[in-house]
Amino acid sequence: MKAKQIECIDRGKSMNYFLDSWRPGFHLSPPDGWMSDPVGLCQMNGIYHFFFLYTPGDPTGRSTKVWGHFQGRSLTEMKYEGIAIAAGEHERDGVYPGSALVDEHGMNLFYSGIIRCAPGECPDDENRISNQLLICSEDGRDFSRKTLLLSNPDYPDNLTLMIRDPNVWKENDRYYMVLAAGMKDSPPDGDAAAPSSASSIDEAESCTDGGRKSHRSRPGNGCALVYTSKDRIHWDYLKEYYIPEGFGYQWECPDYFHLDGKTVLSVCPQGLDQEDYHFQNHYSAGYFFVEGETRGGQLVRRESFHEWDQGFDFYAPQTFEDAAGRRILLAWAGMPDASYTNLTTDKEGWQGILTVPRQLSVRNGRILQRPVDEILALRQTRLAPMNGEPVSYENGTGELMIGDGDGSVRVRIGSLLQPNVVTLQYEEGVVTLSLESGVRRLSARAAAAAQAEGAVLAADSLVGREDIAEAAAKASGGRKLRRAKVGALRNLRILVDSSIIEIFINDGEHVMTTRYYPNHKDSKVRMVNAEYGLRSCQSWEYREMDVPFPV
């Protein structure tokens, strides 16, 4: 079937897209509606293909999920191609996450299809059917008929039916599939105690069901389910990865890959207890280093688990290897079931951004993440600010690099009317990311300076208005504080883009990502002020990517 072109964007909405000051300049976002998980990431015949979970026209994410599609010859020159996979017989209630495998058959897209059962509709009173499907393409535009690979009777009895998100790879002439899953009860010899009360299994749809409320505690134990196949069509159960003592009640969005001589299993565990420096979000995303051979008794150990990102907005990461041999990661810069909000949902009719593509490498037992080199081509004006001297990015997009020194660092990111929307501070081995709820009143001198830099300041937007503090509080969307223990601070690299910030610490040993929403009245002027002692500092303004959408 032909990939469908979306028809919900009229010329008026297209104009709103370009007038929306919260639209990112060099991060991918949906034409309208709701975007979450990056899925089916791959490169074929020199073309990058990024699919994503999508509800066209519905920024809440509650409508039936489909797969949207970007493609391009460069990671900074992508074009929106419309809907690639729509709901059908086997995915009546949504096309859910999956992965891509490019081989002699072309592009193979493996994904989950969900059917929620009415009473008496499913056998044995099961509440849903979780199907795993395959659809293929030779050119990334035209797709084959869908093939059903696995369904409820094919799964072990000890698992819930929240089985989805197939990740497929090929190794030694065999195909392997790892699936997100959760055990109904703790595994044998496990010591995870069931809570006194629990929600129903259907309450948390995580990376795929925007807005549903869930609980941190729930009976059972998260795991990853592994199958193997000779022909990618017929699959046999192989084993499960899990932590015997318990590690959350559900593992989502699994990704299995090899990197610099290490074997990695990335998962999104739900139900981890919050700690001061770890698992601070409602759900987590991280990776294990896997021990052992694929078909043998491979192990994952809790002590090898590291979080990918310790900011507010990061979930459902997926990686792929491109033609240059780079392992590249993208994630949804969002968080399901979070207590904080995303203001674009109500004000602009869209929600969701993807992180910049990040290249991965291993050093000293950790995976390092850094923006792919293609991002460097977006640099324009180079700035060399002095310590404590603010720099402005006129279109709201830019980069700040600080390094070569010791001692504390404080970086404040905001707008001309909201000087301290985001504050990043390093002191005594800890990086603190805070989104402040107040705003300092502008002095007459500061207001004059702002106007001199081209800011359009309405008289009622300056001083003495109670709604200024309220507007500043809205800019955080309810986000407050995140911390990361990083030891000695060697360097910082900060990407600022309209309504998203990505912070890379110590060459990407730690990363913190957050959305934020400065006042629309400031257009896209962003002000960055850094205090960094004897360190060096460089900054660049960025040009925006050209991402064509239908009009």
Side-chain angles (χ1 to χ4, degrees):
M1 66 179 176
K2 191 74 175 178
K4 297 181 180 179
Q5 200 65 240
I6 192 162
E7 299 175 354
C8 64
I9 304 176
D10 58 27
R11 189 165 298 276
K13 285 190 177 180
S14 177
M15 288 301 295
N16 288 339
Y17 179 94
F18 294 106
L19 293 174
D20 179 359
S21 66
W22 289 334
R23 277 286 181 177
F26 58 96
H27 291 75
L28 293 175
S29 62
D32 74 341
W34 180 83
M35 160 195 275
S36 61
D37 309 28
V39 292
L41 307 180
C42 62
Q43 185 183 22
M44 185 175 72
N45 300 327
I47 305 294
Y48 290 100
H49 295 268
F50 294 170
F51 300 89
F52 63 96
L53 225 59
Y54 186 30
T55 58
D58 176 10
T60 70
R62 296 189 179 96
S63 301
T64 301
K65 310 297 183 294
V66 299
W67 277 24
H69 183 199
F70 290 100
Q71 71 168 26
R73 290 194 173 274
S74 166
L75 293 173
T76 56
E77 297 178 6
M78 307 293 287
K79 180 182 178 183
Y80 177 70
E81 295 290 346
I83 296 174
I85 306 179
E89 175 188 1
H90 298 298
E91 60 280 90
R92 182 184 69 197
D93 294 304
V95 182
Y96 278 57
S99 62
L101 175 67
V102 176
D103 64 5
E104 65 273 16
H105 304 286
M107 180 192 298
N108 305 275
L109 299 179
F110 298 87
Y111 68 97
S112 295
I114 299 300
I115 297 174
R116 294 189 179 90
C117 301
E121 183 181 7
C122 293
D124 302 322
D125 294 323
E126 294 174 342
N127 63 358
R128 66 171 52 210
I129 297 173
S130 181
N131 294 319
Q132 314 308 324
L133 298 114
L134 168 65
I135 190 170
C136 302
S137 176
E138 295 181 357
D139 59 8
R141 292 179 179 271
D142 295 307
F143 294 92
S144 68
R145 295 177 60 87
K146 302 169 183 178
T147 301
L148 179 63
L149 306 177
L150 297 169
S151 194
N152 288 17
D154 301 305
Y155 309 133
D157 291 337
N158 67 320
L159 303 183
T160 74
L161 291 177
M162 302 289 281
I163 298 172
R164 56 173 182 267
D165 311 348
N167 176 257
V168 177
W169 72 99
K170 194 173 184 179
E171 189 174 326
N172 298 327
D173 296 323
R174 291 194 69 89
Y175 296 91
Y176 295 89
M177 175 192 293
V178 61
L179 287 160
M183 299 178 181
K184 294 177 183 177
D185 301 302
S186 298
D189 300 323
D191 58 5
S196 58
S197 62
S199 58
S200 69
I201 292 300
D202 248 344
E203 272 190 345
E205 289 290 353
S206 74
C207 48
T208 53
D209 223 21
R212 287 179 182 259
K213 185 173 178 59
S214 67
H215 298 274
R216 186 173 295 276
S217 297
R218 182 175 297 173
N221 191 20
C223 66
L225 186 61
V226 186
Y227 284 77
T228 184
S229 171
K230 293 181 179 179
D231 59 5
R232 73 198 166 90
I233 304 297
H234 303 91
W235 294 87
D236 298 313
Y237 168 79
L238 182 61
K239 59 184 175 184
E240 297 158 17
Y241 295 116
Y242 63 90
I243 304 297
E245 62 270 25
F247 194 63
Y249 57 75
Q250 173 84 14
W251 290 1
E252 296 212 303
C253 312
D255 187 6
Y256 181 103
F257 58 92
H258 302 290
L259 178 67
D260 296 345
K262 299 286 188 179
T263 300
V264 181
L265 175 64
S266 172
V267 296
C268 293
Q270 297 184 331
L272 301 180
D273 290 331
Q274 193 170 20
E275 300 176 6
D276 288 341
Y277 299 100
H278 300 287
F279 318 134
Q280 298 167 87
N281 288 328
H282 193 78
Y283 303 131
S284 299
Y287 61 88
F288 299 98
F289 287 118
V290 181
E291 303 173 12
E293 187 272 333
T294 307
R295 290 188 60 81
Q298 278 188 322
L299 297 174
V300 293
R301 300 182 186 275
R302 190 199 186 289
E303 57 267 27
S304 76
F305 186 81
H306 296 282
E307 290 179 275
W308 287 111
D309 194 293
Q310 291 172 275
F312 292 92
D313 295 289
F314 184 95
Y315 199 71
Q318 186 170 113
T319 73
F320 72 104
E321 185 175 291
D322 73 354
R326 300 180 297 178
R327 176 63 56 172
I328 296 173
L329 176 147
L330 277 86
W332 171 31
M335 178 58 53
D337 303 330
S339 59
Y340 44 83
T341 61
N342 294 291
L343 300 186
T344 58
T345 304
D346 297 325
K347 290 187 175 293
E348 304 297 344
W350 65 276
Q351 180 180 176
I353 288 178
L354 301 185
T355 65
V356 294
R358 304 173 181 180
Q359 184 173 342
L360 305 182
S361 60
V362 176
R363 184 177 74 188
N364 297 330
R366 289 189 68 101
I367 295 180
L368 306 186
Q369 305 171 65
R370 63 179 175 88
V372 293
D373 290 341
E374 288 89 328
I375 295 294
L376 301 178
L378 300 177
R379 289 176 174 175
Q380 289 187 310
T381 306
R382 181 174 178 174
L383 309 168
M386 301 295 289
N387 186 14
E389 176 188 15
V391 295
S392 293
Y393 304 135
E394 296 297 323
N395 65 354
T397 63
E399 176 184 357
L400 184 77
M401 295 185 69
I402 299 174
D404 303 325
D406 296 310
S408 63
V409 173
R410 180 182 174 92
V411 180
R412 292 171 291 169
I413 302 171
S415 59
L416 293 168
L417 294 183
Q418 296 168 319
N420 292 323
V421 172
V422 181
T423 300
L424 183 75
Q425 184 163 332
Y426 167 79
E427 198 166 16
E428 298 182 349
V430 175
V431 171
T432 302
L433 173 64
S434 61
L435 276 70
E436 300 184 5
S437 60
V439 60
R440 293 197 306 248
R441 293 172 58 174
L442 287 180
S443 66
R445 180 178 179 182
Q451 289 173 317
E453 292 201 19
V456 178
L457 305 180
D460 64 351
S461 299
L462 292 177
V463 296
R465 285 292 303 269
E466 294 179 357
D467 59 353
I468 295 179
E470 181 182 351
K474 288 181 178 179
S476 72
R479 294 161 179 81
K480 294 181 180 178
L481 188 72
R482 291 289 181 267
R483 297 185 180 93
K485 272 191 175 181
V486 303
L489 180 65
R490 299 188 301 276
N491 53 67
L492 281 173
R493 184 178 182 184
I494 303 172
L495 302 182
V496 180
D497 189 4
S498 300
S499 63
I500 180 174
I501 300 171
E502 294 185 73
I503 302 159
F504 298 84
I505 305 165
N506 291 345
D507 303 315
E509 286 181 0
H510 300 267
V511 187
M512 304 178 86
T513 300
T514 187
R515 300 292 306 279
Y516 76 121
Y517 301 93
N519 195 323
H520 271 55
K521 293 178 181 177
D522 299 334
S523 182
K524 282 194 172 182
V525 178
R526 301 290 177 266
M527 187 165 61
V528 180
N529 190 316
E531 300 165 3
Y532 44 85
L534 299 177
R535 296 172 182 271
S536 64
C537 184
Q538 300 180 79
S539 186
W540 292 264
E541 287 189 278
Y542 271 29
R543 69 172 175 86
E544 298 184 359
M545 292 194 307
D546 180 20
V547 183
F549 286 103
V551 295

